[in-house]
Amino acid sequence: AQSVTQLGSHVSVSEGALVLLRCNYSSSVPPYLFWYVQYPNQGLQLLLKYTSAATLVKGINDFEAEFKKSETSFHLTKPSAHMSDAAEYFCAVSFSRADRGSTLGRLYFGRGTQLTVWP
Amino acid sequence: NAGVTQTPKFRVLKTGQSMTLLCAQDMNHEYMYWYRQDPGMGLRLIHYSVGEGTTAKGEVPDGYNVSRLKKQNFLLGLESAAPSQTSVYFCASRRDRPQETQYFGPGTRLLVL
């Protein structure tokens, strides 16, 4: 079962424009939510994560995401895109306890969104 | 503190050959993972381990075996490589709580001819 859905496999913005990358999850237990970034020919690195404290989470490079339980969403935003933000972004979820169709100890990834930034 | 390292960085195999990918972490993490990444498919979990001496299957375990004889190492084996196993392989590790960050290695590019 797909636990994480990223809407839009490709997103293009102009430099200086707002970045919005969408992520929805499915879970019947409290989730932990993550955004990872992957630059070309590199491994993934953590951008930010939600672990049940503040619902608005700030990460590196001015990215932030808001956990909205009612919408089961964790969208990633940045007010002003920079050329260096061009990368692939992955949303992921883990679970605080075992859930139907999921396993403790695992991180479930979305399929990724490729962000292109035009000059 | 090197984090998560992977060996080799790149390898070309012929169909039917075998090889082992090595993942090492120096953060004393309990959990370790092997993923493969293919265009449009995101990251798919092959096998994982929740501690030394334990392993479990992920989403796409067929054609792969793993071993975790030492806490810091997690080995991924291909007994008889197939072209469908051409991919980029990532290892990751984390502490034993689900809210902990998963740390990734730099990846191994494998081409099976």
Side-chain angles (χ1 to χ4, degrees):
Chain A
Q2 177 66 278
S3 298
V4 181
T5 302
Q6 290 183 240
L7 295 175
S9 57
H10 291 84
V11 170
S12 296
V13 299
S14 298
E15 193 171 22
L18 171 72
V19 175
L20 171 60
L21 304 182
R22 299 177 187 273
C23 173
N24 289 88
Y25 67 92
S26 60
S27 173
S28 60
V29 301
Y32 300 115
L33 294 154
F34 304 78
W35 275 101
Y36 282 84
V37 60
Q38 184 181 30
Y39 298 104
N41 299 313
Q42 293 186 26
L44 280 70
Q45 59 184 125
L46 182 72
L47 208 51
L48 50 79
K49 65 180 178 180
Y50 165 76
T51 59
S52 74
T55 56
L56 182 62
V57 181
K58 294 187 184 299
I60 60 173
N61 299 334
D62 295 328
F63 281 96
E64 63 180 38
E66 186 172 9
F67 171 65
K68 291 187 176 180
K69 184 177 178 180
S70 61
E71 299 178 8
T72 61
S73 69
F74 191 56
H75 301 331
L76 182 70
T77 60
K78 181 173 179 175
S80 177
H82 192 271
M83 297 290 289
S84 60
D85 295 327
E88 189 154 23
Y89 293 79
F90 292 92
C91 183
V93 63
S94 65
F95 300 101
S96 54
R97 57 181 187 269
D99 184 19
R100 184 179 66 240
S102 68
T103 303
L104 271 181
R106 280 196 57 177
L107 197 58
Y108 292 83
F109 283 91
R111 292 197 172 188
T113 298
Q114 183 67 45
L115 176 66
T116 301
V117 182
W118 300 101
Chain B
N1 191 339
V4 180
T5 58
Q6 293 183 232
T7 309
K9 289 185 169 52
F10 178 70
R11 183 78 181 266
V12 179
L13 287 181
K14 294 181 180 179
T15 298
Q17 287 184 320
S18 63
M19 78 164 294
T20 300
L21 282 68
L22 170 64
C23 175
Q25 53 93 4
D26 60 2
M27 297 174 281
N28 201 35
H29 287 170
E30 291 292 333
Y31 285 43
M32 295 188 75
Y33 307 82
W34 275 109
Y35 297 90
R36 60 178 290 173
Q37 184 178 30
D38 303 288
M41 301 296 291
L43 284 157
R44 293 182 292 171
L45 183 66
I46 305 171
H47 286 281
Y48 64 105
S49 169
V50 301
E52 182 178 321
T54 73
T55 63
K57 294 180 180 179
E59 301 169 62
V60 288
D62 294 343
Y64 305 96
N65 56 75
V66 288
S67 64
R68 181 106 181 264
L69 299 178
K70 292 182 179 181
K71 187 177 184 179
Q72 64 268 33
N73 295 336
F74 195 28
L75 278 63
L76 178 70
L78 286 73
E79 290 185 346
S80 180
S84 61
Q85 293 178 305
T86 293
S87 187
V88 182
Y89 292 86
F90 287 100
C91 177
S93 72
R94 63 149 235 241
R95 292 193 189 130
D96 60 358
R97 295 188 305 165
Q99 63 265 49
E100 296 288 342
T101 300
Q102 208 167 102
Y103 293 88
F104 285 79
T108 295
R109 291 184 175 275
L110 177 64
L111 175 62
V112 182
L113 300 175

